[in-house]
Amino acid sequence: MENIIHIDNGEKPTPTFSASEMKARQDALRALMAKNDIDAALFTSYHNINYYSDFLYCSFGRLYGLAVTQGKAVTISANIDGGQPGRRTFGDNVIYTDWQRDNYFRALKQELASPKTLGVEYDHINVENLAKLKAAFAETDIVDISKSVMALRMVKSTEEIAVIGNGARIADIGGAACRNAIGEGVPEYEVALQSTAAMVREIATTYPHAELMDTWTWFQSGINTDGAHNPVTSRKIVAGDILSLNCFPMIAGYYTALERTLFCSHASKRHLELWEINCQVHRRGLELIKPGARCCDIASELNEIYKEHDLLQYRTFGYGHSFGVLCHYYGREAGLELREDIETVLKPGMVVSMEPMIMLPEGMDGAGGYREHDILVIKEGGAENITKFPFGPEHNIV
């Protein structure tokens, strides 16, 4: 039984991006490698493998990789996936089998030979696999390239922005389905199912050759709104509940989001006051996102609004983040987050969210989590808000 094989099974489907787009990404990577005297790169993360090859793997406990040199780019996949990785990869694909332990590293040796310097993602590879990699490439200097490659991904191409724009549009469709499903006595999961189904159907219509995976909805009610990433439950909506709508269409690994505060039937005076304050922060944040602005300065100015209302202590996370290849279980462009400790300057081609959130715990007047979320594309002279779903009390008391 062979340790390393190829499976050519069927024609490649229509890819997410053009060949010129994918070549431009790989050319920029190779230029970075040459500048830093890196002979080869090994990507192991979902986001970088997808970004440079258009293949999004499903790990299920197995290892995957993308080996890049100045002459080739090859995905390394597990035999369990058959020919699917090869069909989806921009470039070549090699498969390792289960017939002998650590065949993954044998495949890497085959594709990378013996580079003097190998770039890897220290923020993704674990201790055990790094030790195996060092043993397989004993004469190679292994260095981290995760942060420099992240910086390349932070500025989006025209084709990427088009995908993100469609994602924002589809998130709005999910939001409408979610809003229409809200009612007293309806469980959270039923609302979420309606939203997710609407988004998946629209992705299939817009991208008929795409794989349909990972689209999801978090719909939270009452106490469950206290966390931005709280999962759906079977809790039933009660009149007067604060609600949180969170729609996430996934297109070829590209994440977009719509998040809104709503109420069922009515909201108390204090709930309305807090909601309006958070919307005030949101509106000001939308105004501050423009080329030349520093992430930390945006966060600091918005903090002042919360301070005026004695609410800063109830803020739960940063004011926004970058968009691109990421999901709830992979990826993050941490250098482009609207936080006090990030000094990155916004520039055209970047795509960021504005998403202020405050959370008052149970027992307090106006308890619950309040969050609004829009996506903005930075352009010369300003920013375009590509989220169209309305926010605020005048729209979202259902």
Side-chain angles (χ1 to χ4, degrees):
M1 303 293 284
E2 295 181 77
N3 294 330
I4 301 168
I5 62 175
H6 290 84
I7 297 177
D8 296 316
N9 192 33
E11 299 296 320
K12 288 181 181 285
T14 301
T16 311
F17 300 102
S18 68
S20 59
E21 164 76 13
M22 297 305 297
K23 183 176 183 301
R25 296 182 190 187
Q26 292 187 3
D27 286 348
L29 170 62
R30 290 184 173 110
L32 175 70
M33 292 164 60
K35 180 180 178 180
N36 292 280
D37 296 321
I38 296 172
D39 303 302
L42 169 65
F43 296 110
T44 53
S45 66
Y46 293 96
H47 42 280
N48 276 323
I49 292 175
N50 186 55
Y51 183 78
Y52 288 112
S53 75
D54 200 25
F55 164 56
L56 185 62
Y57 69 82
C58 174
S59 173
F60 239 121
R62 289 178 169 85
L63 300 178
Y64 288 76
L66 173 66
V68 181
T69 67
Q70 291 297 333
K72 65 180 180 181
V74 183
T75 53
I76 294 94
S77 61
N79 193 20
I80 194 171
D81 293 334
Q84 183 262 0
R87 291 194 298 274
R88 290 286 172 178
T89 293
F90 176 77
D92 298 321
N93 168 255
V94 67
I95 295 167
Y96 69 93
T97 69
D98 284 349
W99 314 133
Q100 190 173 350
R101 186 168 296 279
D102 289 335
N103 278 343
Y104 172 80
F105 295 96
R106 294 180 179 87
L108 293 182
K109 285 290 291 182
Q110 172 182 290
E111 298 303 321
L112 293 173
S114 299
K116 292 182 180 179
T117 305
L118 175 64
V120 301
E121 301 169 84
Y122 275 0
D123 62 353
H124 185 265
I125 194 167
N126 63 34
V127 173
E128 179 181 6
N129 290 327
L130 180 60
K132 290 182 178 181
L133 190 68
K134 288 180 176 180
F137 295 89
E139 305 301 319
T140 297
D141 184 19
I142 296 176
V143 299
D144 179 38
I145 59 169
S146 59
K147 292 181 175 60
S148 56
V149 170
M150 176 186 66
L152 293 180
R153 298 197 322 270
M154 289 195 312
V155 177
K156 312 304 174 188
S157 69
T158 300
E159 290 191 25
E160 284 184 284
I161 291 172
V163 169
I164 294 169
N166 272 325
R169 175 182 63 82
I170 293 168
D172 287 346
I173 291 172
C178 188
R179 192 183 189 280
N180 291 339
I182 291 171
E184 189 175 357
V186 179
E188 291 176 359
Y189 69 83
E190 287 292 350
V191 178
L193 286 171
Q194 297 300 315
S195 170
T196 301
M199 292 189 290
V200 169
R201 290 182 180 117
E202 184 60 25
I203 293 171
T205 299
T206 306
Y207 296 95
H209 301 288
E211 296 172 327
L212 300 171
M213 56 188 295
D214 299 332
T215 292
W216 84 105
T217 300
W218 284 323
F219 177 77
Q220 301 135 354
S221 64
I223 193 171
N224 294 335
T225 63
D226 65 343
H229 299 159
N230 290 353
V232 170
T233 75
S234 57
R235 182 186 185 277
K236 293 181 179 180
I237 299 169
V238 176
D241 265 350
I242 186 171
L243 310 172
S244 187
L245 170 163
N246 308 269
C247 302
F248 307 106
M250 293 293 299
I251 304 168
Y254 277 74
Y255 162 100
T256 45
L258 169 69
E259 302 172 17
R260 288 289 184 260
T261 300
L262 308 96
F263 278 80
C264 177
S265 180
H266 61 272
S268 72
K269 180 181 177 181
R270 182 54 175 162
H271 277 115
L272 287 172
E273 289 173 350
L274 294 166
W275 193 4
E276 289 282 14
I277 292 166
N278 206 55
C279 287
Q280 178 188 351
V281 174
H282 186 57
R283 292 187 185 96
R284 182 55 182 154
L286 295 174
E287 295 171 349
L288 292 174
I289 293 177
K290 55 190 174 182
R294 293 196 309 168
C295 295
C296 55
D297 294 336
I298 293 172
S300 295
E301 179 166 338
L302 296 181
N303 282 345
E304 293 303 313
I305 301 176
Y306 283 136
K307 282 182 182 179
E308 291 172 10
H309 299 279
D310 193 26
L311 291 172
L312 184 59
Q313 65 270 33
Y314 300 114
R315 194 189 124 201
T316 61
F317 56 85
Y319 288 103
H321 59 80
S322 180
F323 282 78
V325 182
L326 62 106
C327 188
H328 53 326
Y329 60 86
Y330 62 83
R332 193 74 166 182
E333 292 168 9
L336 186 51
E337 297 196 10
L338 304 182
R339 294 165 39 124
E340 296 86 344
D341 57 345
I342 302 294
E343 297 182 353
T344 302
V345 177
L346 300 182
K347 60 183 179 180
M350 291 179 171
V351 182
V352 297
S353 61
M354 172 49 55
E355 49 177 308
M357 179 176 177
I358 52 173
M359 189 282 287
L360 278 70
E362 285 293 291
M364 294 188 67
D365 193 10
Y370 303 77
R371 185 172 67 263
E372 313 297 340
H373 178 296
D374 287 20
I375 302 172
L376 295 97
V377 178
I378 312 300
K379 297 185 174 182
E380 296 289 347
E384 178 188 1
N385 188 338
I386 59 175
T387 298
K388 306 305 180 185
F389 197 94
F391 65 90
E394 62 272 32
H395 301 289
N396 290 326
I397 298 178
V398 182

